[in-house]
Amino acid sequence: MCAASAGKAGRPRRPSHGAAVALPPGTWSSPQAQSGVRQRQENHSSRDAARRGLALPRSRTRKRGGGVEAVKGLGVLLPAMAVLGAYRCIECNEEATELYRDYQRGVLRISICKSCQKPVDKYIEYDPVIILINAVLCKAQAYRHILFNTKINIHGKLCIFCLLCEAYLRWLQLQDSSQNTDPDDLIRYAKEWDFYRMFGIASLEQTSFFIGIFITLWWMSPEMLKRKSDFILLLKALLLSTYGKLLLIPAVIWEHDYTPLCLAFIKVFVLISNSQAIRVTLNLNRILPWFAIFFGLILENGVVCLFQKMGWDV
């Protein structure tokens, strides 16, 4: 007992975190031991700083979990770096600085809107298929998520592909009405030129439709499109909302007696999507977007009548 207690009494105490190691007089420590002590002190300092919310930069990692995919590089609690108004609440359309907050160690918390006290964007946890289904159902929350809280750069490609689908449908209908079956090369070249002509006509019709919408909105309320960013955002929303034209290809492939009715339904669906895109982008009521679409259709039909007077088959 005495020897054990004497051994414990003679054993040096372990220094506390951040405290210097006191060595007895006349003793020395190796450089390796000193570097180890300094390393432990730096680790304890960084750990204390993280607890105070002053996390040091760490390596960039990509985390996936619960449908959230984000790149973090500066630790925890850095909302001040977010751009003011960079996001929108999908419920009340109010501006938000962040969609979620990262508390390190894989802990993510969805931000709450200060206006409506609801999650800013619940769709960041949803599967893309569910988001697409909600967009097809023309839900305003899904449109706000796609337009404001995601970075999608397929507007131009989607527009060109939809125009190609519409041009192919018109070209196919034009070939069905033609009775010429001569396989001559000149005839085949003329048929190919007809496809390009239909693509150009479809592009001009869609351009006139968008111009009619912009003119009507600017005439009804000039302050809505006073900034270039508002104009670009509305144009992107209109281009994305024309995705319904992709349904033209299945309607043509599986042709049946109800194909004209299906094409009419597709046209109505595209117009409804355009109305919802205008309403969500500019935060309007339900009447004004339909008013703008009505004038856009008038201008589009005017272009069609002009082509028909020129003797072109449209």
Side-chain angles (χ1 to χ4, degrees):
M1 288 291 291
C2 296
S5 60
K8 291 183 180 179
R11 187 181 302 170
R13 295 183 178 180
R14 183 179 180 181
S16 59
H17 295 325
V21 178
L23 298 176
T27 60
W28 57 276
S29 60
S30 63
Q32 292 81 3
Q34 293 179 0
S35 63
V37 171
R38 285 195 299 268
Q39 183 66 29
R40 286 195 297 272
Q41 291 177 353
E42 291 177 359
N43 293 338
H44 295 319
S45 300
S46 61
R47 193 177 306 166
D48 295 337
R51 292 194 185 100
R52 294 193 300 268
L54 302 175
L56 301 177
R58 54 190 174 89
S59 60
R60 298 178 65 88
T61 57
R62 182 174 295 271
K63 299 181 180 180
R64 296 177 182 265
V68 180
E69 179 181 357
V71 178
K72 296 95 179 174
L74 294 179
V76 294
L77 302 179
L78 294 178
M81 296 182 62
V83 181
L84 182 61
Y87 305 103
R88 295 284 184 90
C89 174
I90 64 173
E91 301 293 342
C92 63
N93 202 37
E94 289 294 329
E95 295 181 349
T97 57
E98 59 184 1
L99 300 180
Y100 61 90
R101 183 165 293 185
D102 178 21
Y103 292 92
Q104 282 190 346
R105 301 183 183 276
V107 178
L108 299 177
R109 183 174 181 271
I110 298 179
S111 301
I112 303 299
C113 179
K114 298 179 180 179
S115 178
C116 63
Q117 301 301 320
K118 294 181 180 180
V120 174
D121 192 348
K122 62 182 180 181
Y123 285 110
I124 61 176
E125 293 186 318
Y126 285 23
D127 192 82
V129 177
I130 299 178
I131 299 175
L132 179 60
I133 293 175
N134 290 335
V136 171
L137 295 176
C138 293
K139 290 188 176 181
Q141 293 86 352
Y143 273 72
R144 291 192 183 102
H145 168 77
I146 295 173
L147 294 176
F148 297 117
N149 300 337
T150 58
K151 295 182 180 180
I152 299 179
N153 297 320
I154 60 171
H155 311 86
K157 297 178 181 179
L158 180 62
C159 176
I160 293 176
F161 193 73
C162 290
L163 289 176
L164 288 173
C165 294
E166 189 170 357
Y168 174 76
L169 175 63
R170 297 185 180 189
W171 177 78
L172 192 62
Q173 293 175 348
L174 182 63
Q175 299 306 315
D176 292 340
S177 62
S178 177
Q179 302 297 329
N180 195 346
T181 59
D182 192 353
D184 189 72
D185 293 339
L186 183 61
I187 301 300
R188 286 197 295 268
Y189 175 77
K191 291 182 179 181
E192 182 181 355
W193 169 251
D194 287 337
F195 176 78
Y196 297 142
R197 181 166 59 89
M198 291 301 168
F199 179 80
I201 292 175
S203 303
L204 290 176
E205 289 181 5
Q206 181 166 310
T207 302
S208 61
F209 176 70
F210 288 166
I211 290 175
I213 291 177
F214 284 115
I215 291 176
T216 305
L217 294 175
W218 181 82
W219 177 64
M220 295 294 295
S221 183
E223 64 274 6
M224 289 188 301
L225 298 175
K226 61 182 179 181
R227 294 181 300 178
K228 183 179 179 181
S229 58
D230 298 333
F231 175 83
I232 295 176
L233 181 61
L234 180 58
L235 180 60
K236 290 182 178 181
L238 288 173
L239 292 177
L240 284 177
S241 61
T242 58
Y243 69 93
K245 292 183 178 180
L246 299 177
L247 299 174
L248 294 174
I249 297 299
V252 173
I253 294 177
W254 290 285
E255 186 177 2
H256 49 77
D257 297 336
Y258 298 100
T259 297
L261 183 61
C262 293
L263 298 179
F265 277 129
I266 292 174
K267 180 68 174 178
V268 173
F269 174 73
V270 172
L271 294 179
I272 294 175
S273 301
N274 292 335
S275 173
Q276 190 73 318
I278 297 172
R279 174 173 170 261
V280 168
T281 304
L282 302 179
N283 198 19
L284 302 175
N285 53 21
R286 298 180 182 272
I287 299 177
L288 188 56
W290 281 109
F291 195 69
I293 288 176
F294 176 73
F295 276 92
L297 289 175
I298 291 178
L299 188 57
E300 179 182 356
N301 292 328
V303 174
V304 173
C305 293
L306 179 62
F307 287 138
Q308 288 178 350
K309 287 185 178 180
M310 295 174 59
W312 289 12
D313 295 328
V314 294

